[in-house]
Amino acid sequence: MTSPINPSQLSFFITPPHDCPYLIEQKSQTIFLSPEIHADTLLYTALINQGFRRSGEHIYRPQCNNCQACISVRIPVDHYSYSRSEKRILKKAGKFNISVEPAKFDQKHYLLFDQYISARHRDGDMFPTSPQQFKEFLLSDWLETNHLNFIDIQTGKLSACCVFDTVNDGLSAVYTYFDVSLESYSLGKLAILKLIERAKQLKLPYVYLGYWIKECSKMSYKGKYRPLECFVKNRWVEIS
């Protein structure tokens, strides 16, 4: 159930314009929930329904004057049917033991995260990594945050992890990192498909994917799921 909290009654602050991390030659601004406000699941459910996200303990939303490229998106799982390519991805999932556990810091998760960032995002602000950065980016003290783990059956090694939050009306994908040598298993997509399965099992209506940025190759994949709901002009609109 969506929280009755009205976000307009809360206190926020906005950053000065800064270089956009997604679009070249663009300036971006971000609004953050005031750190004086104690966040909880009820409040975050209200805010995620208004296009907000969390990074660690911080709740934010892009607020750019001349650009609306960042669109918050979610999958309505009750209406979701897997495409042929997604069914093929699910079939290959037999290579892994898939389980859920409370999110916490440990060496195996951090090492896989570090390897993934080093291989895929050396040009981003998360490189180089550190254990403190891992904790501050992915973990939370006031939400139910879990690891969706993919363990290679043959080797026993952690092959992928999807960090996700549980809110009152869905599951929110925070970040997925994986062994890039297993690219043929489409582990990023597989993680989302398994979140859809889990949301259905828990009778939660949505999987929140964060921001879809069509013009950014690293974020454009989120627009390929159908049906998909987009938060546009302060309301959710479904595209199919």
Side-chain angles (χ1 to χ4, degrees):
M1 180 179 295
T2 301
S3 165
I5 295 170
N6 184 351
S8 67
Q9 299 172 349
L10 300 171
S11 176
F12 298 88
F13 68 90
I14 189 166
T15 65
H18 54 277
D19 290 339
C20 178
Y22 302 111
L23 300 177
I24 299 173
E25 298 182 355
Q26 287 280 4
K27 294 291 183 180
S28 64
Q29 287 184 276
T30 308
I31 59 171
F32 285 89
L33 180 69
S34 171
E36 298 176 355
I37 296 175
H38 176 71
D40 58 18
T41 302
L42 188 68
L43 173 58
Y44 188 50
T45 300
L47 291 173
I48 204 170
N49 270 274
Q50 295 293 314
F52 284 80
R53 296 286 290 168
R54 81 162 179 90
S55 177
E57 305 293 349
H58 305 290
I59 299 175
Y60 70 96
R61 185 176 72 183
Q63 190 84 355
C64 306
N65 289 328
N66 302 312
C67 179
Q68 285 78 47
C70 296
I71 300 173
S72 186
V73 292
R74 66 188 185 188
I75 297 169
V77 301
D78 288 343
H79 303 151
Y80 199 84
S81 59
Y82 302 112
S83 67
R84 289 182 180 179
S85 63
E86 289 170 345
K87 289 177 181 178
R88 288 195 293 269
I89 292 170
L90 287 167
K91 283 184 178 179
K92 291 191 290 184
K95 177 179 174 63
F96 308 102
N97 279 325
I98 302 172
S99 62
V100 173
E101 66 176 359
K104 62 184 184 302
F105 177 86
D106 61 39
Q107 197 68 8
K108 69 176 182 294
H109 282 88
Y110 171 65
L111 288 177
L112 182 61
F113 173 79
D114 177 67
Q115 291 165 9
Y116 175 78
I117 295 298
S118 297
R120 289 290 182 88
H121 299 290
R122 295 178 72 91
D123 58 342
D125 57 8
M126 288 191 292
F127 180 82
T129 71
S130 70
Q132 187 65 25
Q133 174 222 42
F134 176 96
K135 296 173 188 177
E136 292 178 353
F137 172 43
L138 296 175
L139 307 183
S140 172
D141 291 332
W142 47 268
L143 269 176
E144 180 188 332
T145 302
N146 288 294
H147 285 158
L148 178 64
N149 292 324
F150 297 78
I151 307 294
D152 189 301
I153 292 174
Q154 291 185 336
T155 66
K157 292 183 178 180
L158 178 68
S159 298
C161 176
C162 175
V163 184
F164 70 96
D165 298 329
T166 300
V167 294
N168 291 347
D169 64 351
L171 305 178
S172 174
V174 178
Y175 200 73
T176 300
Y177 49 94
F178 52 84
D179 182 343
V180 296
S181 71
L182 299 174
E183 189 169 0
S184 63
Y185 290 89
S186 303
L187 288 166
K189 293 178 181 177
L190 178 59
I192 299 303
L193 299 178
K194 288 298 180 179
L195 283 187
I196 293 170
E197 283 185 3
R198 184 171 179 82
K200 287 183 176 182
Q201 292 167 358
L202 297 173
K203 300 188 185 307
L204 294 171
Y206 302 112
V207 168
Y208 290 88
L209 298 182
Y211 298 114
W212 170 34
I213 306 172
K214 187 177 181 180
E215 295 83 1
C216 175
S217 60
K218 292 180 180 179
M219 304 292 277
S220 62
Y221 72 93
K222 297 178 183 180
K224 296 178 181 179
Y225 295 94
R226 291 293 187 276
L228 190 71
E229 293 187 4
C230 304
F231 191 69
V232 180
K233 296 182 179 179
N234 292 317
R235 66 188 185 98
W236 290 97
V237 179
E238 183 174 309
I239 56 176
S240 58

